[in-house]
Amino acid sequence: QWKPMLYTLAFLHTTYRREEIRAVVEYSLRVYQSDFNACVQFVQTHLDDMDLKRGVSWVCVRYMIAEVQYGGRVTDDFDKILLKTYCEEWMGEKIFTGSF
């Protein structure tokens, strides 16, 4: 489960970083390498500590990424909605399927 989650997290970071570059005039997007590192550390800890019977707590993962790790730097409401949407679409059980 680690590799698909790491890949998805890196994809999210890159995509959101691209949005930041597009919004140079708008200062509501500030994404740093430290944000990515904190997310990777959180996901790794979450996977290490999770109950195998219950699996990944996607609500927790999405909240920590969209609201805490990255969301703390986002000041524009529409950018917050965009970040939450990315997490809703990309952070879920479907990342473990072959069609993702």
Side-chain angles (χ1 to χ4, degrees):
Q1 289 180 333
W2 169 242
K3 286 182 182 180
M5 287 186 76
L6 180 61
Y7 174 82
T8 305
L9 187 58
F11 187 75
L12 172 73
H13 180 80
T14 303
T15 303
Y16 208 65
R17 188 84 168 121
R18 177 109 171 123
E19 289 295 320
E20 177 186 11
I21 291 168
R22 277 221 247 115
V24 171
V25 178
E26 184 70 41
Y27 291 106
S28 69
L29 294 173
R30 286 285 173 224
V31 179
Y32 300 101
Q33 184 65 35
S34 60
D35 298 326
F36 177 70
N37 294 343
C39 286
V40 168
Q41 186 175 5
F42 164 74
V43 168
Q44 188 174 24
T45 302
H46 182 73
L47 290 176
D48 289 344
D49 295 343
M50 80 175 179
D51 180 7
L52 294 176
K53 292 179 184 176
R54 296 182 68 203
V56 177
S57 173
W58 291 109
V59 172
C60 178
V61 170
R62 286 190 292 261
Y63 176 80
M64 286 298 293
I65 292 171
E67 297 287 339
V68 178
Q69 305 291 353
Y70 286 112
R73 297 193 188 274
V74 179
T75 58
D76 183 72
D77 290 339
F78 290 113
D79 291 333
K80 286 182 183 183
I81 291 169
L82 178 65
L83 180 57
K84 287 180 188 178
T85 302
Y86 285 157
C87 285
E88 287 289 327
E89 287 297 315
W90 296 337
M91 290 292 176
E93 285 296 320
K94 63 185 171 186
I95 69 171
F96 302 125
T97 64
S99 62
F100 182 71

